Amino acid sequence: MKASIDSIETFGLVDGPGIRTVVFFNGCCLRCKYCHNPEMWHKKVNNYTVDDLVKKILRSKPYYNGIGGVTFSGGEPLIHADFIIEVCKKLKKEGINTCLDTAGVGLGNYEEILKYIDIVLLDVKHTRKDGYKDITGKPLKEVENFIDTCNKLNKRIWIRQVIVPGIMDNYEYMDSLVNYLGHIKGIERVDFLPFHRLGREKYIKLGIPYPYENKNDMDKERTEKLYKYFISKYKEKYNTNLEKRK
């Protein structure tokens, strides 16, 4: 069995707990307007076997210290579910922590892969059906199926929300995010990621129109202010604290 892998980061510090090996798979079902990796939208030549990837991950095992591990990212790793399951079977024998960085839109049948995942890093695109469709080009239904499976299996969840100016940078959206997250169990932390235009040159090189040509980078101070508002409302509504961002 082989998979199409774009790149592997061997000392990741932001994609799960501890030091992590981050595996970026090619291929994605969505076409998010703020995506900064359009070169990973399509699957390419299958260039890694299960054993190839496991061997590469195990080289970094001494740095995990029982906390770190491997994060499967992309693109969208869920469309390589069968491959990742086989990798995880071997990694679990080594006691390695596994994270899945996902938008929750794959090919269905999510229960099997989630059995081997310790933490789900879930990218929330938008809280409403119309906003989600506008940003991703797809309906919201499939990610809801994924969330239902996460809830069923009591998965640990880290939420990631990109803040795009003119769309999420307001208190109305913050309130909707608080309400939306109420149906997701196991949330341990929520991170806000300010929108940036660093992927623009990739679109130009690929001959793809850049969807947010008229948008500026999201102001980081404004993002932090919105985050503090969100946290206060989340705590007030659910009487729980989220892990502080590092």
Side-chain angles (χ1 to χ4, degrees):
M1 183 181 294
K2 289 186 175 182
S4 176
I5 293 174
D6 182 84
S7 60
I8 299 174
E9 182 181 350
T10 57
F11 205 83
L13 297 173
V14 296
D15 298 296
I19 296 171
R20 310 198 70 80
T21 299
V22 187
V23 183
F24 296 93
F25 288 87
N26 287 308
C28 186
C29 300
L30 305 181
R31 294 294 180 267
C32 299
K33 290 183 176 179
Y34 55 69
C35 178
H36 57 274
N37 291 317
E39 75 279 10
M40 295 185 198
W41 284 350
H42 302 287
K43 284 186 177 181
K44 301 173 185 177
V45 175
N46 289 329
N47 55 352
Y48 270 82
T49 67
V50 169
D51 287 339
D52 289 338
L53 183 57
V54 170
K55 287 178 183 178
K56 191 168 184 66
I57 293 169
L58 290 180
R59 291 181 196 143
S60 298
K61 184 179 178 182
Y63 300 102
Y64 299 155
N65 293 322
I67 300 173
V70 61
T71 298
F72 303 106
S73 187
E76 175 51 68
L78 282 176
I79 65 176
H80 298 275
D82 290 343
F83 180 88
I84 292 173
I85 288 169
E86 295 307 312
V87 172
C88 286
K89 286 178 179 177
K90 294 177 180 290
L91 295 182
K92 286 304 172 186
K93 293 178 181 178
E94 300 287 339
I96 292 177
N97 178 275
T98 56
C99 288
L100 185 74
D101 182 3
T102 178
V105 179
L107 305 177
N109 299 318
Y110 302 121
E111 188 164 343
E112 187 63 23
I113 185 173
L114 287 174
K115 290 177 182 178
Y116 296 95
I117 299 299
D118 295 305
I119 304 174
V120 175
L121 312 181
L122 180 62
D123 300 318
V124 172
K125 305 300 183 180
H126 202 284
T127 59
R128 297 192 305 270
K129 292 180 180 179
D130 56 345
Y132 185 92
K133 181 68 178 293
D134 177 67
I135 288 173
T136 69
K138 297 288 184 178
L140 184 60
K141 182 179 179 180
E142 188 59 30
V143 68
E144 292 300 308
N145 292 336
F146 179 78
I147 289 171
D148 287 345
T149 309
C150 288
N151 287 341
K152 177 182 177 182
L153 298 179
N154 296 311
K155 303 310 297 186
R156 298 170 61 192
I157 306 287
W158 292 13
I159 297 293
R160 289 175 162 181
Q161 171 71 75
V162 174
I163 305 298
V164 180
I167 300 177
M168 295 93 169
D169 61 337
N170 57 79
Y171 295 117
E172 179 183 0
Y173 185 82
M174 293 297 107
D175 290 339
S176 75
L177 182 61
V178 170
N179 292 330
Y180 180 77
L181 296 185
H183 82 297
I184 304 177
K185 300 178 182 178
I187 296 177
E188 296 182 350
R189 61 184 282 172
V190 177
D191 292 333
F192 282 8
L193 309 176
F195 164 79
H196 60 70
R197 291 163 53 90
L198 296 178
R200 179 177 177 273
E201 295 303 316
K202 295 180 181 180
Y203 284 79
I204 293 173
K205 289 180 180 179
L206 293 170
I208 304 171
Y210 187 58
Y212 286 158
E213 185 65 53
N214 296 323
K215 290 189 181 296
N216 297 318
D217 287 2
M218 180 64 199
D219 181 78
K220 293 182 179 179
E221 291 186 7
R222 174 66 174 168
T223 301
E224 187 61 29
K225 185 175 181 180
L226 289 168
Y227 183 78
K228 290 179 179 178
Y229 174 87
F230 162 81
I231 287 295
S232 66
K233 290 295 183 179
Y234 189 92
K235 180 179 180 180
E236 178 183 314
K237 186 174 181 66
Y238 302 115
N239 192 30
T240 185
N241 286 317
L242 294 171
E243 178 183 335
K244 291 185 178 179
R245 294 178 298 172
K246 297 178 181 178

